[in-house]
Amino acid sequence: MAAKLRKGDTVVVLAGKDKGKTGEIEKVDPKAGKAIVGGINISVRHTKQTQNSKGGRIATAMPVDLSNLAIVDANGKATRVGFREEDGKKVRFAKTTGDAI
């Protein structure tokens, strides 16, 4: 299956505690079906101080399921992604506007 969401895409969250928020994909794990989006699904980890690092509360972005993300089109709305062939190459496009992504 071709990757509909890739690193660097701007996406909107469709479900969960961060529903409606937008962010940019930092990392995608297609095998697990998850992606890490900047500023979305933040979890706070409490770490103990060591000789090398300072302790305290560290906020990290946790993975979000790909089914809960939708790409943002040129109008700023969530859209589905389709594929078509242009000049012999496979190109992703937004289903709402028809523009290449």
Side-chain angles (χ1 to χ4, degrees):
M1 177 95 179
K4 294 192 176 194
L5 298 175
R6 297 178 184 160
K7 180 180 174 181
D9 287 344
T10 303
V11 293
V12 63
V13 180
L14 301 176
K17 67 178 183 176
D18 293 322
K19 181 178 180 178
K21 291 184 181 178
T22 59
E24 188 173 317
I25 295 179
E26 296 173 354
K27 183 180 177 185
V28 178
D29 184 6
K31 200 170 192 179
K34 295 186 182 282
I36 294 177
V37 183
I40 305 294
N41 200 20
I42 300 296
S43 175
V44 176
R45 302 284 181 204
H46 296 77
T47 58
K48 202 177 217 182
Q49 184 175 355
T50 64
Q51 286 183 337
N52 301 331
S53 65
K54 190 175 179 182
R57 297 169 44 137
I58 298 174
T60 58
M62 300 302 287
V64 179
D65 201 84
L66 290 176
S67 65
N68 293 333
L69 300 174
I71 199 159
V72 176
D73 65 358
N75 300 332
K77 297 193 176 194
T79 183
R80 292 181 295 153
V81 177
F83 293 95
R84 65 178 170 221
E85 215 169 289
E86 290 181 5
D87 301 325
K89 292 188 176 185
K90 196 174 188 180
V91 178
R92 295 185 308 157
F93 72 97
K95 292 240 181 174
T96 54
T97 60
D99 297 335
I101 299 174

